[in-house]
Amino acid sequence: LGLLVSQMLWRSHYKIVQWYYLHIKRFKIKKLLEIGPGHGLLSFLAVKEKKLKEIMLCDISKSSINFSKNMIKDYSKKINIKYFIKDFTKKINLKEIYDFVVLGEVIEHVYNPEKILKNLKKIIDKKSVIFLSTCANCPAEDHLYRFKDVKEIRSFLKRNGFKILRDLVSPSENVPKKFWKKEKIAINYCCLLKLN
């Protein structure tokens, strides 16, 4: 719930939601998977905008799944909606290929985000597009994996077999880039990815 509020009130988070919404319109999406939907806003925007055949929401939290269900319930007669309560860092048994995957504000909340990306590779192909958002220099208590800067995020994604199609860097404060490191400005980051 806090993240949902932050995505409306924090300038840097709101900018990422806008960027996501602008870019999702560009893709033909029939099957969408969101890993860690939290509140369901990003799935809602995709469902509202696209003519999807199927959407799968996967989260470790049952309450998160229930919150997300409520966000997209009005579309349940038009789309095949599936829910999967699972830790995506563990072995997964999904057999389908998804053409769009949403991974928003997830990888910083696990100890081994490489495991999520490894499992993700099992359910996408070369045509699939991934929207990913995370943060750098953001030492929050619930951030188990911490990136020090955007360069480290980009390197991490490339090292794990993904190429960045486009990205957006959004500082949490209105401070010139040359002062980000010195002033310890938290940076929000998002991108569109494909398999390399």
Side-chain angles (χ1 to χ4, degrees):
L1 212 51
L3 183 58
L4 179 59
V5 171
S6 82
Q7 288 186 311
M8 299 301 146
L9 299 179
W10 290 1
R11 183 184 63 86
S12 61
H13 276 200
Y14 184 71
K15 201 170 172 183
I16 285 175
V17 171
Q18 284 182 307
W19 192 88
Y20 165 81
Y21 190 56
L22 175 76
H23 284 83
I24 199 165
K25 295 176 185 184
R26 298 175 49 236
F27 298 100
K28 282 191 173 183
I29 305 170
K30 295 299 178 195
K31 293 172 75 173
L32 182 140
L33 167 68
E34 183 169 8
I35 302 164
H39 42 64
L41 176 65
L42 299 180
S43 286
F44 169 77
L45 292 173
V47 168
K48 178 177 161 285
E49 190 59 40
K50 307 304 287 182
K51 291 181 178 165
L52 300 172
K53 287 185 178 174
E54 180 182 311
I55 185 167
M56 164 79 83
L57 301 179
C58 175
D59 204 293
I60 196 169
S61 162
K62 189 174 183 178
S63 61
S64 173
I65 290 290
N66 288 334
F67 204 95
S68 298
K69 274 184 187 179
N70 285 329
M71 282 290 271
I72 60 175
K73 67 182 176 188
D74 292 342
Y75 297 91
S76 60
K77 291 182 177 133
K78 301 173 187 172
I79 303 168
N80 181 17
I81 303 173
K82 298 178 182 178
Y83 305 97
F84 191 53
I85 298 172
K86 182 79 176 167
D87 180 347
F88 215 81
T89 64
K90 308 283 188 225
K91 185 178 178 185
I92 57 161
N93 296 315
L94 296 174
K95 306 288 183 215
E96 302 176 63
I97 298 295
Y98 291 87
D99 44 25
F100 200 91
V101 177
V102 178
L103 193 59
E105 306 299 313
V106 172
I107 64 172
E108 68 273 18
H109 295 280
V110 298
Y111 287 111
N112 295 306
E114 295 91 351
K115 290 182 178 180
I116 291 176
L117 298 182
K118 184 179 177 185
N119 281 333
L120 184 58
K121 288 179 185 176
K122 297 174 187 175
I123 54 170
I124 59 174
D125 61 21
K126 289 277 189 185
K127 295 178 185 172
S128 303
V129 177
I130 299 103
F131 168 83
L132 178 139
S133 67
T134 189
C135 58
N137 196 27
C138 221
E141 190 174 312
D142 60 337
H143 291 177
L144 305 176
Y145 194 93
R146 297 178 181 164
F147 296 101
K148 65 178 187 242
D149 55 32
V150 171
K151 184 179 176 185
E152 188 178 350
I153 297 170
R154 289 175 177 145
S155 175
F156 168 82
L157 294 170
K158 289 173 186 172
R159 192 172 62 247
N160 280 279
F162 292 90
K163 65 180 173 186
I164 299 166
L165 304 176
R166 290 192 165 143
D167 63 3
L168 172 73
V169 177
S170 181
S172 61
E173 297 177 47
N174 193 16
V175 173
K177 186 176 180 178
K178 63 182 177 180
F179 298 117
W180 290 356
K181 191 171 185 178
K182 182 183 174 189
E183 306 228 356
K184 298 182 180 172
I185 303 300
I187 306 297
N188 292 102
Y189 174 84
C190 67
C191 60
L192 293 172
L193 303 168
K194 277 197 168 196
L195 282 171
N196 203 358

